[in-house]
Amino acid sequence: MTWSEMRPLLEQACTETLIMVGWSTLIAVVVGLPIGVLLVLTDKGGLLQSTVLNKVIGQIVNVGRSLPFIILMVALMSFTRWVTGTTIGSGAAIVPLAIGGIPFFARLVETAVREVDHGLVEAVQSMGGDNWTIVRKVLVPEALPSLIASTTTTVIALIGYSAMAGTVGGGGLGDLAVRYGYQRFETGLMWITVAVLAVVISLIQFAGDCTARSLHHRGARSGPGPKLRLLKAKEPAVADVDKVA
C-alpha cells in the first residue's frame, strides 16, 4: 500500500479518534468532577459527612473501574443502541468510552482534592464561608494543577480505550490497525498507526504537564495567598478586642 492510499485512511481514522476521545473526555470531566468532590465531602470528617452515601458512591465507582473496557463495551451494547441507534462506529463508541472514563476520572479528582491544605478550609469556615464557597473558592482552585494532570491521564487512557473499541467496530485508529494491519497484513500501515498514536499521546502529555506546571508555579509565586488573606482579615477583630480591653 502506497502513502497516497494510506493518507486518507489515516486522516479519517485520526478524525474519528479525536471525536471519540474529545466527547468522552468532556462527559467524563463534567460528570466525574462533582462525583470526585462529593467523595471527599461525604467522607469521614468531610463537610457533608455521610458514611452511607460515601460507601454507595464509592462502590459504584469501584465497580465501574474494575470492569475491563472490552467487557464494558459488550455489557453496554443495549444501552448504546438505545442512545445512539447503533453499536458500530465512532459515535456509538463514545457511550462506553464516557461511562468508562467517569469513574476513572472521579477517583483521580478525589485524590487531587484530598491534597488541598485543610487549613485553608478551616480558615474559610472561620470567615463564615458555606460549603459551596469552600468548594468553589478553595478545593477546586487549589487542586487545579492536579486536576489538569488528572485530565491528561484520563485523555491518554481514553485513547487506549478507543483503540480497543476499534477492534469491535468502534472506528478510529484501532479499527484501522485491525482491519488493515492485522486482517490484510499491511504491516507498514499498522506501524504508522502505532507511531501516530505514540506522537499524539506524547504531545498530549507534554501539553498537560506544561499547563499543570505553569499553574503550580503561578500558585507558588503568589505564596500562601488565600491563607494569608483570610488570616489578615481576622487581625482587625483581634486588634479591636485588645483596644476594648
Side-chain angles (χ1 to χ4, degrees):
M1 181 177 288
T2 63
W3 172 247
S4 60
E5 295 173 324
M6 293 181 185
R7 182 174 177 179
L9 295 174
L10 287 168
E11 290 177 350
Q12 181 181 357
C14 287
T15 301
E16 291 176 349
T17 297
L18 290 175
I19 291 173
M20 287 189 294
V21 174
W23 279 106
S24 58
T25 299
L26 178 62
I27 296 171
V29 170
V30 170
V31 180
L33 179 61
I35 292 176
V37 173
L38 193 60
L39 283 169
V40 177
L41 296 179
T42 57
D43 200 6
K44 184 177 180 181
L47 299 174
L48 302 174
Q49 181 174 331
S50 175
T51 303
V52 175
L53 181 60
N54 183 268
K55 288 187 178 298
V56 170
I57 297 175
Q59 286 300 319
I60 293 174
V61 170
N62 289 339
V63 170
R65 290 187 62 196
S66 64
L67 290 175
F69 180 72
I70 194 70
I71 296 177
L72 182 65
M73 281 196 67
V74 175
L76 291 174
M77 277 188 174
S78 298
F79 179 71
T80 301
R81 185 180 292 108
W82 178 73
V83 173
T84 64
T86 182
T87 58
I88 300 175
S90 57
I94 293 174
V95 176
L97 281 172
I99 293 177
I102 288 171
F104 182 85
F105 184 69
R107 282 300 184 190
L108 294 177
V109 171
E110 180 188 11
T111 302
V113 173
R114 286 189 190 279
E115 295 175 354
V116 176
D117 186 3
H118 192 67
L120 294 176
V121 176
E122 293 176 345
V124 175
Q125 286 177 319
S126 68
M127 294 289 294
D130 57 14
N131 293 337
W132 171 242
T133 301
I134 293 172
V135 172
R136 189 166 55 93
K137 296 291 188 179
V138 178
L139 295 181
V140 173
E142 290 296 315
L144 191 56
S146 296
L147 292 177
I148 295 298
S150 299
T151 303
T152 303
T153 303
T154 302
V155 172
I156 293 174
L158 289 176
I159 291 176
Y161 290 168
S162 70
M164 285 188 282
T167 63
V168 290
L173 291 169
D175 178 62
L176 181 66
V178 171
R179 284 192 297 115
Y180 287 88
Y182 177 72
Q183 295 177 352
R184 302 186 185 183
F185 302 102
E186 295 287 349
T187 308
L189 180 58
M190 184 179 67
W191 282 113
I192 292 176
T193 303
V194 172
V196 170
L197 284 171
V199 170
V200 169
I201 289 174
S202 297
L203 291 175
I204 292 173
Q205 187 67 61
F206 177 76
D209 289 345
C210 289
T211 304
R213 195 178 299 115
S214 65
L215 290 172
H216 180 74
H217 288 167
R218 185 181 304 173
R221 284 196 300 269
S222 62
K227 193 170 185 177
L228 289 178
R229 286 195 294 271
L230 289 168
L231 292 176
K232 286 179 179 179
K234 295 175 64 178
E235 289 176 1
V238 176
D240 291 341
V241 172
D242 293 338
K243 186 177 180 181
V244 173

